[in-house]
Amino acid sequence: MSSTPTSVQPTGQSGESKKEGTSTEHINLKVVGSDHNEMFFKIKRTTQLKKLMDAFCERQGKAFNSLRFLYDGERVQPHNTPLELEMEDGDAIDVMVEQTGGCIQCC
Amino acid sequence: MRIDFDKSVDSKMEKGKNAVIRNGKRSWDAEFVTSPNGHSQYSSDDISTPTSSQNWHSYDDIPSVSTPIIDESRQSDFMIENYRRLLESSTRYPPLTIQQQIQIAKYLDSRGEYAPSYMIIEKFNLQISAAHLRTLTNGCWLNDEVINFYSNLIIERAQNNPDIYPPVHIVNTFFYTKLMQSGFGHKVVAGAHWTLAVANFKLCRFEYYDSLGGEFNPVFLNELRAFFNYLAKQTNNHHFDFDSWNTYEPKTKTPQQKNSYDCGVFTMMTVEHMSRNAPLSFTQSKMGYFRAKMIYEISTGNIMNEIDDEDSFEEDEDESVNDDEILQSSAEHSPGAEAMQIDIVKSSTTTHQGPSVTIEII
């Protein structure tokens, strides 16, 4: 965890008290993984979501190009910001795993 | 999930028509897909209907061109094959020029000028890299990026040419996963097969097309009904009752794959044909061409037009689908999928996360 690039830290201990102080500049986002696991992120509205995606991938031990981030069913691009996508506090980003298919019985 | 209910849908929901279909006296399948002479596309002179050894007694019994037919008589096999070819050749697909084929080969050459991460095209908020495009190589499984991109091409074509193509909406491939997850909390197993579900607003029924002849998953069907009912309520379209919609599963009458990798191409070609009201008369033998065509179309961001001639499909359009909600799904519960699921579980147990963790990015 210490290797995460930005100051990424769980709010479980220290973050909780700060919650009220970070009113409009920051936003809390829920990232819902394909296995129903939820991870919460606090991010600046103007920060590119790439940081969130990278942090999520790192935590999950997944390659970035194997995951698809969706907000309201639409793909989220790494360069998008919460402001751009008009995200609101508490909104969820869905994470889907790359899908591939050929047949049922085989392979 | 943004789905707009077309205002014109109301006028299309004629009760009389609906009843006819419910009684099973006339099905779209018989009328549209399998009938050799019920469609303006084929002149009756062109079709030599196999007779003697065939048991094609009634109109409805005529097997689909794609139905695998097992017959002892070689002669009739031969005739059926001819019949199939005739049907296929009467669908005018645009040919690929030599230059286009060379370009396609270049895209597919992993040692060539396009590295796997090379961005071929960026459109519809999707980025198609050479690696994604290469899932269209013969024998490979298609991935979600290619399917979703091609879906968008079909939507765009319909939007840009509303006088030619019926309105169509195609949800992305994650709709199925999301629907099955959120509904009754069913566990979704990552799929290994592409299939197609259609909400046909013209005929008021849910349709399911599977290139391996599978059936509508009843849970999925229920979720679909619930989803559309919810949507109708939200949009104040109270006259819709999706619980009463019939289902239509052509099973083996849907063009069938004869291998373990072409279902993505079959699925997308089914969508493409339906989106222009063309009969589903293609077979396995066309898949190589379809893959090449898809590669070219994706790389250019445009669908090539089918060749116009005097036997275009347009005349019969009133009889066919006019307003579709097309859904893709990857089928669940497959051996390959189990393996994938295990993989997911494995990787998630090694990471430390839970509902209580918040990560701050500043």
Side-chain angles (χ1 to χ4, degrees), chain B residues 87-142:
Chain B
L87 279 185
E88 267 194 19
S89 63
S90 60
T91 311
R92 301 299 199 88
Y93 298 110
L96 293 161
T97 65
I98 300 291
Q99 285 88 342
Q100 288 167 345
Q101 290 181 39
I102 291 171
Q103 188 56 46
I104 290 165
K106 278 183 184 170
Y107 285 139
L108 295 184
D109 182 5
S110 52
R111 292 179 194 166
E113 55 185 295
Y114 300 105
S117 60
Y118 182 90
M119 209 52 74
I120 304 278
I121 186 167
E122 202 174 337
K123 202 176 174 182
F124 313 121
N125 211 13
L126 294 170
Q127 292 145 338
I128 300 292
S129 66
H132 293 145
L133 206 59
R134 282 178 198 143
T135 66
L136 281 161
T137 310
N138 276 332
C140 289
W141 288 19
L142 274 61

Side-chain angles (χ1 to χ4, degrees), chain B residues 120-218:
Chain B
I120 304 278
I121 186 167
E122 202 174 337
K123 202 176 174 182
F124 313 121
N125 211 13
L126 294 170
Q127 292 145 338
I128 300 292
S129 66
H132 293 145
L133 206 59
R134 282 178 198 143
T135 66
L136 281 161
T137 310
N138 276 332
C140 289
W141 288 19
L142 274 61
N143 81 352
D144 55 320
E145 300 280 27
V146 163
I147 302 261
N148 287 326
F149 193 92
Y150 203 78
S151 303
N152 276 298
L153 287 182
I154 292 170
I155 298 171
E156 188 188 55
R157 177 176 71 173
Q159 283 172 346
N160 291 347
N161 309 282
D163 45 334
I164 303 174
Y165 302 105
V168 61
H169 185 85
I170 310 174
V171 300
N172 69 31
T173 55
F174 306 110
F175 176 87
Y176 174 81
T177 317
K178 190 69 187 159
L179 186 74
M180 297 298 271
Q181 271 178 353
S182 52
F184 295 114
H186 282 279
K187 200 174 172 187
V188 177
V189 180
H193 181 45
W194 293 112
T195 61
L196 174 72
V198 177
N200 186 330
F201 280 81
K202 173 100 187 209
L203 299 178
C204 297
R205 65 187 190 190
F206 292 106
E207 303 170 0
Y208 185 71
Y209 299 87
D210 183 347
S211 56
L212 286 170
E215 293 179 16
F216 232 133
N217 173 350

Side-chain angles (χ1 to χ4, degrees), chain B residues 232-245:
Chain B
K233 216 177 234 175
Q234 292 294 307
T235 52
N236 285 323
N237 283 279
H238 295 292
H239 55 285
F240 279 106
D241 177 17
F242 294 97
D243 289 331
S244 69
W245 276 30

Side-chain angles (χ1 to χ4, degrees), chain A residues 7-8 10-11 40 42 68 77, chain B residues 125 144 351 358-361:
Chain A
S7 52
V8 171
T11 40
F40 292 86
K42 185 178 269 185
R68 316 278 186 250
Q77 298 298 334
Chain B
N125 211 13
D144 55 320
T351 55
T358 303
I359 295 166
E360 282 188 46
I361 297 174

Side-chain angles (χ1 to χ4, degrees), chain B residues 51 54 81 120-121 124 139 148 208 260 303 318 322 340 356:
Chain B
T51 48
Q54 289 306 305
E81 197 49 46
I120 304 278
I121 186 167
F124 313 121
N148 287 326
Y208 185 71
S260 58
I303 293 189
D318 285 349
N322 244 340
M340 255 183 255
S356 61

